[in-house]
Amino acid sequence: MESFLIIMMASLCTALPFALGQKYGLVRFISPMHLVAYFCLFGFLLKVVTYAFVPELAFYKRFVDNPWGDQLGVLYLSLFVLLLCAGYRFGCRSMVRADGATAARMVAGGLSRRGALTTFAFAIAAVTMALILRARGVGGFDPGTLNALNTAKQINVNADGVGATLAGIKTLFVVPKFAFVMLLANGLATGARRVLVQAGLLALLLILIALMSGDRFELVELFIFGLAVHMILGGGLSRRVVGVGAALLLLLAAMSVYMTQLRLGGGATTFAVLHQIVGSTYFLDINAAVMVTDRVRPDQMLLGQSYVWWSFGWVPRAFWLEKPAIDLGVFFKRDVMGVYTGGAFNVTGPGEAFMNFGWAGIGVGFVLGWIYRKGEVLLLSSVAAIRYGAFLLYPMLFYPFVQATLQSSFSAFIVGAVAQFMLLALMICLFLPRYTLWISSRNKERSQLYVT
């Protein structure tokens, strides 16, 4: 009976955000609430269903002996998600749904200097890869190098378990990622096959980047980029689109299995990938919720500190070797869970809120839901598309923001996002035409494309 109730709560937390996304989202199947539903599906529902039949796979059972621990974690995570939905719905109260697809297609179709953009993307990727190999002390590039890069994704720099992930260098990878998004948008808007081929070449480059980063979420990110661009431009789910999407998912799944083999050894299979999903703290994770509600003591609560760690996070570790980790996952693993090996546990957005404010942290969910809605409207409005090309920032910055606030920690995202935004703004200025709108003061109210 207990397992049934837990599965029902997880099902509600998956279905409700999806329903809100379907009714109020400004972009089909990829609005913030859709993303919340997907992260709940893999981090909450899939895991509790698996644990009901194979309880030893539960990650939290390594640390939590409290027989009520799982129920407290489920209650906290469910309340957080429900308040997140309430915040999003509250943000919709003064909004008029607007379709910016026409404006987005017009702007995307005007992309200029496509050849130079492709060359620039490959050049930056090559330089970044060389810098990573040099920082890791690798002289050449071969299968053994990929194995090393996937086995250990950080360089330990002190005895406190803090390591350098080379995040500053990897920020440059945003250039080929954004080039892929821009070229794909242009190819879909104009139907130019040559441009779509260029986008395809960049997609292959991004798969190589994922291999070098040792991060399988880079593969998920690539799929989200493509789906978001297609939907933002007003695309539908025709048989052809579904077929192409399924083929891409199979390719990315095969690459994920390969990356798992590099990390765990040649015997790893597809089941190893599934095992890592359900036996980890990935996605909007129930394990992290159980662990924080069970182990975080009042004297360990940060009272909002982790949300301002970005203020010193911009200092490169090369100049400050003893810089504290700005990713709360290190604190979670070491100080809360008492595990002093290197690396970190994904603390998740709900987990970070609890580590700051205890059970009052569910209120952070309401604030996040409201921010999700405001950000969605800001970036996907017709005015923002025409004036700034802002719709292109939706997959590049807003999706990672949603992912970070659900799966990771706030400050770690902010530091990288500021640097990425400057690079993206520069690329928009160089390659994408924008337009100025003139609206007379007399007709301003009648001419608004969305109302806030």
Side-chain angles (χ1 to χ4, degrees):
M1 185 63 178
E2 175 187 328
S3 296
F4 175 78
L5 291 176
I6 290 175
I7 291 173
M8 288 299 99
M9 289 299 297
S11 300
L12 173 63
C13 291
T14 302
L16 181 59
F18 189 85
L20 284 174
Q22 288 292 89
K23 185 172 183 179
Y24 299 104
L26 298 187
V27 55
R28 297 178 63 197
F29 299 110
I30 205 71
S31 76
M33 285 295 100
H34 286 107
L35 296 174
V36 172
Y38 303 149
F39 274 75
C40 273
L41 173 64
F42 290 104
F44 195 1
L45 180 56
L46 175 62
K47 291 182 180 182
V48 296
V49 170
T50 303
Y51 301 161
F53 296 97
V54 193
E56 60 269 21
L57 288 180
F59 185 82
Y60 71 85
K61 287 187 177 293
R62 307 176 195 177
F63 309 98
V64 177
D65 297 324
N66 180 2
W68 296 93
D70 56 347
Q71 298 175 45
L72 289 175
V74 167
L75 177 61
Y76 173 74
L77 182 56
S78 299
L79 290 174
F80 188 94
V81 173
L82 292 176
L83 278 179
L84 193 153
C85 293
Y88 184 85
R89 181 64 184 88
F90 180 80
C92 295
R93 292 195 308 173
S94 59
M95 299 291 178
V96 175
R97 190 167 188 167
D99 181 10
T102 302
R105 294 183 73 89
M106 179 188 72
V107 175
L111 183 70
S112 61
R113 297 185 289 276
R114 295 182 292 268
L117 174 61
T118 305
T119 303
F120 179 61
F122 273 94
I124 293 297
V127 170
T128 307
M129 291 178 184
L131 290 174
I132 291 175
L133 294 176
R134 180 179 178 182
R136 296 293 296 266
V138 179
F141 187 82
D142 53 40
T145 301
L146 286 178
N147 191 8
L149 292 174
N150 280 267
T151 301
K153 296 194 292 182
Q154 71 172 21
I155 305 170
N156 291 330
V157 297
N158 61 37
D160 295 327
V162 177
T165 60
L166 306 178
I169 297 175
K170 291 179 181 178
T171 296
L172 295 174
F173 280 140
V174 76
V175 172
K177 291 178 182 179
F178 196 40
F180 166 74
V181 167
M182 297 174 84
L183 288 167
L184 180 61
N186 180 260
L188 292 177
T190 62
R193 293 186 177 181
R194 180 180 178 182
V195 179
L196 291 175
V197 169
Q198 290 175 310
L201 292 175
L202 282 172
L204 295 176
L205 175 64
L206 295 183
I207 292 176
L208 177 60
I209 288 173
L211 285 171
M212 288 202 61
S213 300
D215 189 351
R216 284 161 296 186
F217 256 93
E218 297 270 353
L219 301 176
V220 176
E221 189 178 72
L222 175 59
F223 183 80
I224 293 293
F225 286 168
L227 179 61
V229 169
H230 176 70
M231 291 300 178
I232 289 171
L233 296 181
L237 293 181
S238 64
R239 290 184 179 179
R240 179 181 179 184
V241 170
V242 172
V244 171
L248 289 176
L249 281 176
L250 288 175
L251 172 62
L252 297 180
M255 293 305 304
S256 182
V257 172
Y258 176 60
M259 292 173 69
T260 302
Q261 291 176 338
L262 291 174
R263 182 177 302 180
L264 302 180
T269 64
T270 303
F271 294 103
V273 178
L274 297 175
H275 181 276
Q276 286 205 322
I277 291 176
V278 299
S280 67
T281 56
Y282 293 132
F283 302 101
L284 189 52
D285 180 56
I286 181 57
N287 294 283
V290 173
M291 290 156 68
V292 296
T293 53
D294 180 76
R295 297 290 289 272
V296 175
R297 303 187 308 270
D299 62 295
Q300 292 177 312
M301 291 182 184
L302 300 173
L303 303 178
Q305 292 182 45
S306 73
Y307 295 110
V308 296
W309 284 351
W310 57 267
S311 59
F312 61 80
W314 58 271
V315 181
R317 197 169 294 279
F319 301 112
W320 184 6
L321 290 179
E322 299 302 318
K323 184 182 76 172
I326 61 171
D327 188 333
L328 191 59
V330 175
F331 179 84
F332 178 36
K333 181 177 183 180
R334 185 187 60 198
D335 295 78
V336 175
M337 304 310 301
V339 180
Y340 292 92
T341 56
F345 291 158
N346 285 328
V347 67
T348 72
E352 179 171 16
F354 191 94
M355 291 174 67
N356 278 279
F357 308 112
W359 282 86
I362 60 175
V364 174
F366 185 90
V367 175
L368 282 177
W370 184 85
I371 292 174
Y372 289 171
R373 179 59 181 185
K374 295 298 183 181
E376 177 187 26
V377 171
L378 177 67
L379 294 177
L380 296 180
S381 72
S382 300
V383 172
I386 293 172
R387 286 180 172 172
Y388 313 111
F391 66 95
L392 293 173
L393 299 180
Y394 185 88
M396 294 302 305
L397 287 181
F398 195 64
Y399 156 68
F401 169 72
V402 173
Q403 175 183 312
T405 51
L406 295 178
Q407 176 180 283
S408 185
S409 57
F410 182 78
S411 289
F413 167 79
I414 292 297
V415 173
V418 171
Q420 290 178 5
F421 175 76
M422 291 187 289
L423 290 172
L424 300 181
L426 176 62
M427 292 178 68
I428 287 176
C429 291
L430 290 176
F431 299 105
L432 195 71
R434 280 94 56 220
Y435 306 92
T436 301
L437 292 178
W438 180 84
I439 302 174
S440 69
S441 58
R442 179 179 179 182
N443 295 321
K444 184 176 181 180
E445 294 298 324
R446 296 166 57 188
S447 303
Q448 283 183 326
L449 296 175
Y450 66 91
V451 181
T452 58

